[in-house]
Amino acid sequence: MSTLPEPAPEVRVELTDGVLRLTMDRPQALNALTPDMPVLMAAELERATARDDVRVVVLTGTGRAFSTGADISGRYTIDDSSMDTANRWIRAITTCDKPVVAAVNGVAAGVSCSAALACDLVVAAESASFLLPFAKVGLMVDGGASATVAAAVGRARAMRMALLAEPLGAREAYDAGLVSHLAPDESFADVVADLAARLAAGPPLALAASKRAVNAATLTQLDPALERERSGQSLLLRTADVVEGVMAFAERRPPVFRGE
């Protein structure tokens, strides 16, 4: 296992009563990811497998958002290295032998949406939403979303999210089967705490075996999807359309894509 990085100030790591909480903590930037954040979360998830004091992992955000994904307006550069980091984060979620719960308190977008949907259970506040906005900057979906979304809601809805980059509200996501729990905003924290406590009190060996079995049956295409997304994204990153998409995002204007 690689050396664990020092906890980044943008991620809070807390362990209480067997519940390991990883909280993305950049509320002023809607918890947009810096380069260190997914590295730290992946490392903590990998380490959790060997920790007897961890029974369940909760992934969440501070403030109004879960996370808006890679901070392309700041220090985050989307390249082959960042794709490898994102894929490590997704694999860490799905291979961790402890249940991983996404507590989606607000908007979940980009690779952070992909990470939430890779979790074993997803609790969404009623005001939350899910967005795969990659097409808006000339990119394709990544973080395994081409597999996890289709596995949860089917090809048609997955195509709609991928191609049109339309946000999916929490109620619609719940009705479609994309998330496991829907909670009123005012009781969201209590619902998450109760669920985490139930999982922490459960039989760890049985929960681990169940997780492996369900993932083996439903996510058979996850690893190939991650590799296809990495290859496709690597090519797209070299296109003029992506340059235009990122510039348009920074300038707050509609992009003009030319297929170049």
Side-chain angles (χ1 to χ4, degrees):
M1 184 180 297
S2 59
T3 302
L4 287 173
E6 291 297 318
E10 299 95 347
V11 177
R12 286 189 283 113
V13 181
E14 301 160 302
L15 177 63
T16 305
D17 297 329
V19 180
L20 179 67
R21 292 182 67 92
L22 306 178
T23 305
M24 293 171 280
D25 194 18
R26 296 185 71 213
Q28 74 284 0
L30 299 179
N31 300 322
L33 299 174
T34 65
D36 291 339
M37 291 168 70
V39 173
L40 172 67
M41 289 184 283
E44 288 290 346
L45 284 157
E46 292 161 356
R47 183 174 173 233
T49 293
R51 292 182 62 173
D52 293 335
D53 57 346
V54 175
R55 301 292 288 269
V56 59
V57 181
V58 174
L59 179 62
T60 192
T62 299
R64 296 185 296 117
F66 178 78
S67 170
T68 53
D71 188 356
I72 61 175
S73 65
R75 290 178 281 155
Y76 201 106
T77 300
I78 303 175
D79 55 19
D80 289 349
S81 176
S82 67
M83 288 293 300
D84 290 338
T85 296
N87 287 356
R88 177 187 173 192
W89 186 21
I90 302 305
R91 288 190 173 102
I93 290 170
T94 58
T95 61
C96 179
D97 72 352
K98 314 298 170 67
V100 182
V101 177
V104 182
N105 52 301
V107 60
V111 70
S112 298
C113 178
S114 301
L117 299 179
C119 291
D120 306 312
L121 296 173
V122 183
V123 184
E126 285 186 332
S127 62
S129 59
F130 299 82
L131 176 64
L132 298 174
F134 302 94
K136 291 185 176 181
V137 293
L139 291 170
M140 65 179 289
V141 295
D142 62 24
S146 61
T148 55
V149 176
V153 298
R155 180 175 180 271
R157 188 64 62 93
M159 282 292 192
R160 181 173 175 177
M161 291 184 70
L163 301 184
L164 297 178
E166 294 177 343
L168 194 66
R171 168 60 66 178
E172 190 177 1
Y174 177 74
D175 290 343
L178 194 64
V179 306
S180 60
H181 297 72
L182 182 67
D185 287 10
E186 59 272 16
S187 58
F188 171 75
D190 291 336
V191 171
V192 172
D194 179 67
L195 178 61
R198 288 171 58 194
L199 291 167
L205 298 179
L207 296 185
S210 293
K211 172 173 177 171
R212 287 193 296 269
V214 172
N215 281 348
T218 60
L219 296 181
T220 57
Q221 287 300 305
L222 180 58
D223 276 333
L226 290 170
E227 294 307 317
R228 283 192 296 268
E229 291 167 358
R230 186 189 187 283
S231 297
Q233 212 75 299
S234 181
L235 293 174
L236 290 169
L237 286 166
R238 294 163 171 77
T239 65
D241 275 353
V242 168
V243 174
E244 165 62 12
V246 172
M247 287 180 60
F249 175 84
E251 296 168 3
R252 300 180 182 273
R253 61 172 175 81
V256 180
F257 296 125
R258 304 185 185 281
E260 301 173 350

